Each structure stands twice: as structure tokens, then as C-alpha cells.
Amino acid sequence: LESRAEGAREGAAEADGAAGDADARAAEHAGGRERLDDEMESLREGFVDVPSEVGEAATRRESIQSQLEEARDDLTTARTELASARERLAEARELRAEGKCPECGQPVEESPHVAAIDDHESRVEELEAAVTEARERKSELTGRVDAAESLEDAEERVGRLRDKRSLVEERVADGEAAADQRRGEATSAR
């Protein structure tokens, strides 16, 4: 009887030890869960200052990329128009220097028409401003696309962390269940 009691005490002590080990593993996994929660929260904070939520980054990036394509097209158009306007201005100046009308190229006896040259110069200035504006818009949108891609990466990371957290949650639950089972075995052995 004494040896059975001793065996039961040893079994209970063993079960208590196993319960303690299971508790330690569950606590370790719980700490991992907290670290994952902290990292996910940190990533979500990146969405605070942008007009989109977690899950909308791809749509936002696509929208900005579309705007960027339009800005690139606008820049190309403005550059083409500027080159053409500069050519017309250069031709008008040459004609005037030759004593010809800057509009029609016919010889002019009296003072050449300067209004046409002024118009060409004004158009060149407008188009230079349009090119500068289009270049700035393109640059701004390029930065926004980069930011949207970073948000998309963060969003994917949050998804992976959620999956990992789910696995950790299962491990915590398994560890707690194992600890409870071992404590029950220890209680029964006593």
C-alpha cells in the first residue's frame, strides 16, 4: 500500500511538473501572441493618415496609378505642344529678322507685325508652365503610388500576422488544455 501511495505521489508530482511545463509553453505562446498583436497594431497605424482602410490598399494603388498614367500623358502632350510652339516662335523671329511677316511670311515694307511673335511668346510661356505643372503632378503621384505600395505591403503583412496569430492562439489553447489535463491527473493521483 505504501509503495502504491509513493507511486501515486510520484505520478502526481510528474503530472504537476508536466502541467507546469504546459503552462510555461502556453505563456510563451501568449507572449508571442502579444508581440504579433503589437506588430499588427503598428502596421494598422500606417492607415490612420490615409483615406483608406486595411483591405483597400490595392484599390487605392490602382486608382493612383491610373491618375499617374493620365499625368504622364498630360506631360507628354504638354512637352509636344511646347516643342511645336517653340518652333513656331523661332520661325516667326526668323521671318521678322528677314523683313517678312511673322504670320504669313510675305515681305513687309514697313515694321513687321510683332503681335504674332508676342502671341507665340505668350503661348510658349503658358506651355512651359503647363509642363512644369504636369511634371510636378507626375512626381507627386509617383510618391503617392510608392506610399500606396507600402500600404499594400503592410496590408499583406497584417494578413500573414493574422494567420500566424491564429496558429499561436491554437497553441495557447492546446497548452492550456494540456496543463488542465495534467493538473486533473495530478489531482486524481493524490
Side-chain angles (χ1 to χ4, degrees):
L1 189 63
E2 185 63 36
S3 70
R4 270 190 10 204
E6 181 61 31
R9 282 191 291 275
E10 287 176 8
E14 213 174 277
D16 279 338
D21 291 345
D23 280 335
R25 282 192 304 278
E28 182 180 316
H29 291 304
R33 178 182 56 204
E34 290 172 15
R35 285 188 297 277
L36 291 171
D37 288 343
D38 291 345
E39 186 174 351
M40 283 190 291
E41 184 58 32
S42 175
L43 290 168
R44 284 188 193 106
E45 287 173 2
F47 288 83
V48 171
D49 295 331
V50 293
S52 65
E53 299 291 324
V54 175
E56 298 174 355
T59 302
R60 178 171 171 69
R61 179 192 43 79
E62 290 167 4
S63 172
I64 296 169
Q65 280 181 320
S66 176
Q67 293 173 27
L68 177 58
E69 288 303 316
E70 288 176 25
R72 286 178 178 150
D73 291 344
D74 292 347
L75 178 58
T76 300
T77 299
R79 284 178 174 161
T80 302
E81 289 178 8
L82 177 59
S84 178
R86 284 179 174 160
E87 269 182 43
R88 287 190 302 275
L89 176 60
E91 289 172 7
R93 285 179 175 160
E94 284 178 31
L95 289 170
R96 184 178 69 180
E98 294 171 3
K100 296 181 180 177
C101 175
E103 289 182 36
C104 65
Q106 298 295 320
V108 177
E109 299 292 323
E110 314 238 331
S111 66
H113 300 133
V114 292
I117 291 176
D118 289 343
D119 291 344
H120 288 300
E121 287 173 343
S122 292
R123 182 69 180 144
V124 166
E125 287 175 10
E126 288 172 12
L127 290 169
E128 285 173 342
V131 166
T132 298
E133 183 180 314
R135 189 179 298 125
E136 289 170 357
R137 176 83 173 134
K138 179 185 164 257
S139 177
E140 181 238 337
L141 287 169
T142 298
R144 288 178 57 198
V145 165
D146 292 343
E149 287 173 347
S150 292
L151 283 177
E152 200 170 8
D153 291 344
E155 192 174 80
E156 289 172 7
R157 178 77 177 138
V158 166
R160 288 190 303 273
L161 290 172
R162 279 185 190 143
D163 293 344
K164 192 173 183 178
R165 186 187 190 286
S166 178
L167 292 173
V168 167
E169 194 69 41
E170 288 176 21
R171 288 180 183 154
V172 168
D174 290 347
E176 289 172 348
D180 288 344
Q181 179 183 357
R182 294 298 184 170
R183 272 192 282 288
E185 290 172 5
T187 301
S188 296
R190 289 190 183 114

